[in-house]
Amino acid sequence: MTSTPPADTAAVRDTTSALDALPPLRDVIAAAGLDARKSLGQHFLLDLNLTRRIAKLAEGENGVAGRTVIEVGPGPGGLTRGLLAGPAARVIAIERDGRAVQALQPLIDACPGRFSIIEADALAMDPGSLLDAVGDDGRCWIASNLPYNISTQLTVQWAERPERIAGMVLMYQKEVADRLTARPGGKDYGRLSVLAQWRFSIYKGFDIGPRAFTPPPKVTSTVLVFETRPEPLAPAELKALSTVTAAAFGQRRKMLRQSLKALGNAEDLLAAAGIDPTRRAETVSVEGFCALARAFADRRQAEDGER
């Protein structure tokens, strides 16, 4: 796939007019029989002022202008309209619900050449196969009102391919957003915080209350913006970082000399990383875990060399 140059002023006016002429989202939902299904984690955001506000968070200095945006789970297309009203070169929607695919069809005619749909389950897709193919420099933006039941899994998948992602604007259950942005020392700081912050600068956009959605969820939602760091926060191998954080936070109430025992001689590993063995995982910075990952990778390499 190749990206399309940013639209000119006349094209932007045409797109705006075409989008404004589309029926209200409630009518789209009724026509497509698109009642929200709990099994799909669907909560539709129908306020187009809010969806445009979310889309605009992706329009900063290194934003979506001239790039491809991959939107996961667009539903009736509220956020999709907001993205298409902006400077993105094109939007590719990944949607598993056939009813929503039908509801999104008018957007293809409203924005010719700028919008397409892939009917698939984003969680089951190889993220690299799609990310490798989009963007004029191979880097895209990702946007989504993420289904709560798969938000963490998808975030970890995308964090493994930051070289293909320029940025992301994503909506989470507030509890998950708090974990992603947490700093060392707090109860929300954990493995997800480390893996995400290692490769992305993450900041909060705004909260959205339950009553903005149809049907209303039982929790507040938070929109986060991820900007891919030019370089990782500190050197480390992803596999090693994933391994040490899983062990450390798997028993987060224990001292690291206990929680890391499954990785071998924990005392030596922590000494090599310059970390006090009596500390607990939640007190160690992202950079500290990167040092631990380097020490673990070095040990593995030495052991392989002795075999």
Side-chain angles (χ1 to χ4, degrees), residues 237-259:
E237 295 175 2
L238 173 62
K239 187 175 180 179
L241 185 62
S242 182
T243 299
V244 299
T245 52
F249 287 105
Q251 302 181 72
R252 63 183 297 145
R253 292 180 179 273
K254 295 185 177 181
M255 295 180 185
L256 288 170
R257 65 187 179 194
Q258 281 295 120
S259 61

Side-chain angles (χ1 to χ4, degrees), residues 239-241 243-244 262-264 269 272-273 290-303:
K239 187 175 180 179
L241 185 62
T243 299
V244 299
L263 303 184
L269 194 62
C290 288
L292 190 59
R294 293 195 299 273
F296 178 69
D298 288 345
R299 174 194 283 179
R300 280 288 176 89
Q301 187 174 8
E303 289 173 351

Side-chain angles (χ1 to χ4, degrees), residues 77-235:
L79 179 55
T80 317
R81 296 189 192 190
L83 293 166
L84 289 167
R90 63 177 177 163
V91 176
I92 300 173
I94 302 175
E95 177 57 68
R96 63 178 292 190
D97 188 341
R99 301 169 306 153
V101 172
Q102 174 190 339
L104 293 166
Q105 293 300 318
L107 285 170
I108 295 176
D109 295 329
C111 304
R114 290 186 65 221
F115 180 62
S116 58
I117 308 167
I118 297 174
E119 187 170 356
D121 181 352
L123 195 60
M125 294 181 70
D126 169 23
S129 65
L130 183 61
L131 296 176
D132 285 347
V134 302
D136 53 0
D137 60 356
R139 301 170 78 225
C140 66
W141 268 74
I142 296 176
S144 180
N145 170 12
L146 288 168
Y148 293 152
N149 55 348
I150 61 170
S151 62
T152 299
Q153 294 165 275
L154 283 173
T155 301
V156 171
Q157 277 191 9
W158 295 331
E160 294 175 351
R161 296 302 303 266
E163 74 281 359
R164 291 292 178 262
I165 300 171
M168 303 188 289
V169 56
L170 305 172
M171 191 190 309
Y172 295 90
Q173 180 177 344
K174 187 177 186 298
E175 178 185 344
V176 176
D178 288 345
R179 288 165 54 200
L180 282 160
T181 56
R183 296 293 180 257
K187 64 180 179 61
D188 293 320
Y189 183 72
R191 183 168 181 255
L192 185 61
S193 319
V194 175
L195 294 177
Q197 294 174 31
W198 176 51
R199 295 310 308 263
F200 297 97
S201 296
I202 309 171
Y203 66 89
K204 178 179 173 179
F206 54 92
D207 290 338
I208 302 178
R211 289 198 291 180
F213 297 88
T214 300
K218 296 180 180 179
V219 296
T220 296
S221 299
T222 300
V223 182
L224 296 182
V225 179
F226 296 67
E227 295 179 348
T228 305
R229 300 181 187 277
E231 298 291 337
L233 196 57

